[in-house]
Amino acid sequence: MTDVRVTYDEAVDAAYVHLTEPRAHVTSARMYPCDPVDTDGMINLDFDEQGRLIGIEVLAASSQLPEYLLRSAERPDCGGA
């Protein structure tokens, strides 16, 4: 099973699911905003220059993602998980 890196910033209630190699420094070339119907959040899809999906940003993450995932996510505001 592959581990996926997830970061969560509780101050702004935003999570990011990283879909790249853990040590790779990949920048987003294009962002596609998604506004799911009947939800309280927003999802942004980030793509690299080759059009590959590199990450998923979830706004209002506490209402969109499972609590266990947010508890185990890295916290950029705390220097790690």
Side-chain angles (χ1 to χ4, degrees):
M1 180 174 181
T2 302
D3 291 327
V4 175
R5 181 174 166 230
V6 178
T7 56
Y8 177 57
D9 187 337
E10 191 171 10
V12 295
D13 195 20
Y16 196 85
V17 180
H18 301 262
L19 302 175
T20 58
E21 295 284 333
R23 289 179 173 57
H25 180 67
V26 180
T27 58
S28 176
R30 184 172 40 115
M31 187 265 296
Y32 178 77
C34 303
D35 190 5
V37 178
D38 298 326
T39 66
D40 294 330
M42 179 81 172
I43 298 169
N44 296 316
L45 305 176
D46 287 337
F47 295 87
D48 68 9
E49 290 189 7
Q50 287 77 39
R52 293 178 294 221
L53 181 63
I54 59 170
I56 304 166
E57 180 184 36
V58 181
L59 305 177
S62 62
S63 67
Q64 302 300 312
L65 296 174
E67 186 178 332
Y68 82 89
L69 185 64
L70 298 179
R71 276 196 319 265
S72 64
E74 294 177 29
R75 305 290 175 114
D77 51 336
C78 298

